[in-house]
Amino acid sequence: MESADGQRGRDGSSSGGQKRSPLEVIMNQILRKRTASDRKPLPRFPSRGWERAGIPEDGEPEGTEGRRASSAESERDVGWGRVCVFLQRLGKKADSRSLSLAHCDLTATDLLELATLLQFLPRLEEMDVSWNELIGGCLRALTSHLQHAGGIRTLRLCSCRLNADDITALGEALGCVPLLEILDLSWNGGVGGGALQGLLGKLPPPLRELHLVACQLTAADAAALGGMVSDLSRLCVLDVSCNPQLTQEVDTSGGGSGGGFRELAAALSHASSLSTLRLQACGLTADCLDALGGSLRCLPSLRELDLSCNKSLAGGLSRLTLHLSHLTHLESLDLHLCCLTLADLEALIQVLPSLTALSELDVSSNKEAGAAVGSLVSALPLTQMRRLPLNSCSLNDESLTALALVVPYLRSLDVSWCKVVGGRLSLLLDSLQPSVILELRLSSCDLTTDDLRHLAAACRRGSLSSLRVLDLSYNGSVGDEGWSALLAAGGLGSLEDVDLSLRPSTLAPCSAWLPALLSALPRLPALTRLAVRRWSVGSQDGRQLNHRLRKRSVLLEWDPDCTDMTSSCKMTNQESLEESQPEE
């Protein structure tokens, strides 16, 4: 009895003491079952070890968090699968960072489906849906989901038939892509005519490139664009080429005129980071050059200036050259097809010594330039020149001799449509340095058979070992021996594109030199395009050439109207492209 009472006293209550709680009794029993070495005092407060051990809190079933993570991961996998299926249907490969859907004939339905998939592309940085004209007027379906792809840095929407509503929708959504660096809306006529106002004040500050080529921009749009440029301190590239109405004066209510282009030109002075400015075919006049010139001195980083295809500049280039000397970092100046006069060229020659970084100068398609080549070459930094195209410049013997001085340094040599080259090609070829020239364009130069023999000799001595583009088209005066000598010479292992076509009004057989071409193909591993338009070929030889090139996925361009060619070789350009695809 005493022992039982003592046990009760230990478990229940002490004799004459306070009764213990049931919890204390249970804990006491647990401690007695542990060995003496394992006994440790319990902490005063419960530890947080349950967090580290994954013990659920507040009665949450164990493993719930894991199941949630697994469910989210499964949902992402399913979403990514949907992305892959969508892109596979369009013939594209899935890439979590880049989405390229150009030329996919997207419809409004496709655009909506794409929008719903953006949530599964959180790492997306580039999106290109250009050249899909059926999505015009439906862009809001995509822009309303851009918040799921806030990391986009490049957005291209070229030639999508965008209208004013699309531009408004885009402007409203640009706040969702604060990291955007490149925006290309080129070839959308609906951007002009006032729609550009929808982007005013909404372009992200990090924007580095803005492309608005052929958008039918007006002078009013130019003024709006000036307001945008003023706010983009990081803008490096501005391309508004092919907008001929950009420089037309804007009539004001008072009957005067406010030049929208002048406002744009003035705004450029705030774009101190600008490195590329393209104003090709914008209807520039001498007065425009006055406005533009004032801002050039504020653009110390400008490296590329394109003023080409502005024929109204004739006689007024001196208004710009006064300011060009401030562009000490200018590397490329394009003035082709500007109807430059001798006075314009003289003004340009005077400023060239100040352009110490210049490596590319294009004055091609200016007839008067031929007579000024000698002075141009003497004013250029010859050793750093890489491009000096002089095609369609009415070169003469003296200018050809002067050109030979700069040829050793050029990466691209273009004297197409200069008849004086015929019979004198060796003068230029002898100046070539091995493995330097990458493009050689000699179209319509009245080349002779001897010229091609000299070209073959240049191949054998390695002067053309790095050549990628060779254009010998429209030289029908070359004999079969010349073509055979060139094709048998070798030394063109880097050649990718070659054009041996004849003039549209000409037709000649190629059976005499076709065997040399077939033998040369194994020595042309980089070839991707061969143009032999207006050359007739027999059915057997044609099938052999076509078969060899088709196996290598080389684009073979035949003329479908050659009467001596068999039906198997009479293809349209599209049929030729399909035939050039690799066999299954």
Side-chain angles (χ1 to χ4, degrees):
M1 293 296 293
E2 290 180 1
S3 61
D5 292 339
Q7 180 68 30
R8 282 194 299 271
R10 285 190 298 268
D11 293 344
S13 61
S14 57
S15 56
Q18 187 176 2
K19 187 177 180 179
R20 290 182 296 177
S21 68
L23 178 60
E24 290 177 331
V25 174
I26 294 173
M27 295 302 296
N28 190 35
Q29 291 176 351
I30 293 174
L31 287 175
R32 282 205 306 270
K33 291 181 180 179
R34 297 173 61 185
T35 62
S37 60
D38 290 335
R39 293 179 185 176
K40 296 180 181 178
L42 292 175
R44 185 174 180 180
F45 298 103
S47 71
R48 304 287 290 181
W50 55 268
E51 290 184 348
R52 295 188 296 271
I55 300 175
E57 185 182 15
D58 298 333
E60 185 181 37
E62 187 174 357
T64 299
E65 292 184 0
R67 285 195 297 271
R68 286 179 178 175
S70 177
S71 176
E73 184 176 353
S74 176
E75 185 178 352
R76 285 195 299 268
D77 290 342
V78 172
W80 177 247
R82 288 176 55 194
V83 172
C84 294
V85 170
F86 176 75
L87 294 176
Q88 185 177 12
R89 190 172 75 238
L90 297 172
K92 300 291 184 177
K93 293 183 178 180
D95 187 335
S96 62
R97 296 185 182 275
S98 179
L99 191 60
S100 179
L101 296 175
H103 299 281
C104 284
D105 293 327
L106 295 181
T107 63
T109 303
D110 295 326
L111 194 66
L112 181 59
E113 183 177 358
L114 171 62
T116 61
L117 296 176
L118 290 181
Q119 59 183 312
F120 305 116
L121 295 168
R123 296 189 299 171
L124 190 64
E125 295 182 358
E126 299 182 13
M127 183 189 297
D128 186 354
V129 291
S130 301
W131 306 99
N132 289 288
E133 297 186 346
L134 297 179
I135 67 175
C138 307
L139 192 61
R140 188 176 295 275
L142 178 65
T143 58
S144 60
H145 291 76
L146 279 183
Q147 70 273 13
H148 298 298
I152 289 181
R153 297 179 182 273
T154 300
L155 180 59
R156 301 188 188 279
L157 296 163
C158 306
S159 190
C160 291
R161 290 193 177 181
L162 302 183
N163 57 29
D165 291 338
D166 293 325
I167 301 303
T168 299
L170 177 61
E172 295 172 352
L174 286 179
C176 299
V177 284
L179 302 180
L180 190 66
E181 296 180 353
I182 301 175
L183 178 60
D184 194 344
L185 302 176
S186 300
W187 306 101
N188 286 290
V191 174
L196 196 62
Q197 292 279 352
L199 301 181
L200 187 60
K202 299 178 180 179
L203 295 176
L207 196 70
R208 297 176 58 252
E209 296 187 17
L210 180 58
H211 301 267
L212 298 169
V213 179
C215 287
Q216 296 186 16
L217 301 182
T218 63
D221 296 317
L225 183 58
M228 299 178 196
V229 170
S230 299
D231 296 332
L232 299 174
S233 59
R234 301 183 187 178
L235 189 65
C236 295
V237 178
L238 178 61
D239 190 350
V240 291
S241 299
C242 303
N243 287 288
Q245 299 181 16
L246 190 70
T247 57
Q248 291 186 1
E249 297 295 331
V250 181
D251 292 334
T252 62
S253 57
S257 63
F261 181 79
R262 291 183 178 276
E263 296 183 36
L264 172 59
L268 291 176
S269 62
H270 301 288
S272 58
S273 298
L274 200 65
S275 61
T276 300
L277 177 60
R278 301 187 184 121
L279 297 167
Q280 182 188 89
C282 284
L284 298 182
T285 64
D287 290 338
C288 294
L289 295 185
D290 278 333
L292 183 61
S295 296
L296 291 183
R297 65 182 63 221
C298 301
L299 302 177
S301 301
L302 197 65
R303 285 174 167 77
E304 178 184 343
L305 179 59
D306 185 353
L307 304 175
S308 61
C309 303
N310 287 289
K311 297 183 178 181
S312 297
L313 293 183
L317 191 61
S318 59
R319 301 192 188 185
L320 182 70
T321 54
L322 294 173
H323 307 280
L324 282 179
S325 58
H326 297 284
L327 303 179
T328 55
H329 296 287
L330 191 66
E331 299 174 359
S332 175
L333 178 59
D334 194 343
L335 294 166
H336 83 267
L337 199 59
C338 285
C339 295
L340 298 182
T341 64
L342 283 177
D344 292 326
L345 292 165
E346 290 173 359
L348 177 62
I349 291 169
Q350 290 178 1
V351 76
L352 285 180
S354 302
L355 305 179
T356 55
L358 196 67
S359 61
E360 299 183 8
L361 175 63
D362 192 346
V363 291
S364 62
S365 299
N366 289 287
K367 298 297 183 182
E368 300 292 342
V373 171
S375 300
L376 280 171
V377 169
S378 63
L380 288 170
L382 295 186
T383 58
Q384 64 190 42
M385 292 303 297
R386 298 297 177 260
R387 290 187 68 250
L388 183 62
L390 293 170
N391 49 293
S392 300
C393 282
S394 299
L395 299 182
N396 53 38
D397 290 340
E398 293 181 0
S399 55
L400 199 64
T401 302
L403 178 60
L405 298 176
V406 70
V407 164
Y409 311 103
L410 297 180
R411 298 290 186 268
S412 174
L413 176 60
D414 189 351
V415 288
S416 298
W417 302 91
C418 295
K419 308 302 182 184
V420 70
V421 177
R424 299 174 179 83
L425 184 60
S426 59
L427 181 63
L428 301 179
L429 296 177
D430 291 343
S431 300
L432 291 175
Q433 294 295 319
S435 304
V436 174
I437 194 76
L438 301 179
E439 295 185 7
L440 181 57
R441 301 184 184 275
L442 302 167
S443 178
S444 190
C445 286
D446 279 354
L447 299 183
T448 65
T449 300
D450 284 341
D451 287 327
L452 259 66
R453 290 196 180 103
H454 286 296
L455 188 58
C459 292
R460 287 191 294 270
R461 63 175 179 262
S463 297
L464 303 176
S465 58
S466 298
L467 193 68
R468 298 175 185 174
V469 178
L470 177 60
D471 186 357
L472 299 174
S473 60
Y474 296 2
N475 286 290
S477 54
V478 175
D480 293 334
E481 299 82 0
W483 298 116
S484 298
L486 173 63
L487 295 170
L492 294 172
S494 300
L495 194 62
E496 301 174 1
D497 188 305
V498 59
D499 194 341
L500 309 178
S501 301
L502 296 177
R503 295 178 182 276
S505 59
T506 307
L507 178 64
C510 63
S511 56
W513 53 266
L514 186 59
L517 173 60
L518 294 173
S519 299
L521 289 179
R523 300 192 299 273
L524 301 173
L527 190 65
T528 60
R529 173 180 174 267
L530 172 63
V532 286
R533 290 193 175 106
R534 307 306 295 170
W535 287 103
S536 62
V537 63
S539 59
Q540 183 176 355
D541 291 336
R543 282 195 298 269
Q544 185 178 6
L545 177 61
N546 189 42
H547 176 70
R548 291 193 184 186
L549 295 181
R550 183 176 57 185
K551 287 173 57 178
R552 294 172 47 180
S553 190
V554 176
L555 176 61
L556 175 61
E557 295 186 1
W558 301 91
D559 193 309
D561 297 326
C562 283
T563 56
D564 291 346
M565 298 175 67
T566 63
S567 59
S568 63
C569 296
K570 289 183 178 180
M571 325 180 202
T572 63
N573 290 342
Q574 180 61 32
E575 290 172 338
S576 177
L577 179 60
E578 293 173 354
E579 285 292 320
S580 67
Q581 298 302 315
E583 296 177 332
E584 297 293 337

